Amino acid sequence: MSMWTLVPLLLLANVPPDGAAQLKKVDGLMPELRRMATAPAVVREVKRQNARRVSLESIRQWDEEWRATPALTPLKRQLLGSPCARTLERHRAQLGRKVAEAFVMDNQGALVGATRRTSDYWQGDEPKWRESFNGGRGGELREKPFFDESSQSYVVQVSLPVKDGARVIGALTVSISLLEL
């Protein structure tokens, strides 16, 4: 057996045996996750970033720079210390270790705030943003469980729209640790 065949088997050994029960527990967290998406500081910071009207070209350039270095750059430091990130961290602390990470994106999929460094800055090309922003119509997405490199845990990512009243202005993604449910 090759090393590459063995690695997934070893990782799967840590997945909770009763996946259905774990996913039901995720359902129980949805009211709190929806509160995170409507927190006034989250809405305010997404509106503020959207008002800046940053070009997609600039966002993609920042994304390249973000992915190019694991170092804590000024942009990463700014997003991890933003009012949005502090609000997410308060919600995460209330939920305990169940939340591996949480991050908020603007109307283009660029990060507004995060509880930990994400693997990339621009999420606009990923289902978590596309389906929860949904062209400004909003939607909820619960992805299949997977091993998340950035949080180093088995998670289910839940993505929700961030709304200003009835208008969708961004999205929230929360990684729920299956081993902590």
Side-chain angles (χ1 to χ4, degrees), residues 42-73:
V42 168
V43 173
R44 183 178 56 250
E45 292 302 308
V46 172
K47 285 173 60 175
R48 182 175 291 147
Q49 184 157 312
N50 287 347
R52 291 176 48 214
R53 292 190 168 91
V54 176
S55 72
L56 189 54
E57 181 180 325
S58 293
I59 290 170
R60 286 185 172 160
Q61 181 179 349
W62 292 340
D63 185 55
E64 281 182 38
E65 293 167 9
W66 184 285
R67 289 181 287 120
T69 180
L72 196 56
T73 63

Side-chain angles (χ1 to χ4, degrees), residues 19-95:
Q22 300 303 89
L23 295 179
K24 193 149 193 77
K25 290 178 183 178
V26 171
D27 289 341
L29 295 174
M30 292 305 293
E32 181 59 30
L33 301 182
R34 289 182 185 112
R35 278 191 286 283
M36 285 175 83
T38 60
V42 168
V43 173
R44 183 178 56 250
E45 292 302 308
V46 172
K47 285 173 60 175
R48 182 175 291 147
Q49 184 157 312
N50 287 347
R52 291 176 48 214
R53 292 190 168 91
V54 176
S55 72
L56 189 54
E57 181 180 325
S58 293
I59 290 170
R60 286 185 172 160
Q61 181 179 349
W62 292 340
D63 185 55
E64 281 182 38
E65 293 167 9
W66 184 285
R67 289 181 287 120
T69 180
L72 196 56
T73 63
L75 177 60
K76 290 176 186 177
R77 216 177 271 113
Q78 175 190 342
L79 289 170
L80 293 170
S82 72
C84 180
R86 290 192 303 271
T87 298
L88 294 175
E89 188 57 44
R90 279 193 299 277
H91 281 271
R92 192 195 65 71
Q94 289 173 349
L95 289 166

Side-chain angles (χ1 to χ4, degrees), residues 157-173:
Q157 283 192 331
V158 177
S159 298
L160 308 155
V162 172
K163 296 179 179 180
D164 180 22
R167 188 170 57 100
V168 176
I169 60 170
L172 163 73
T173 294

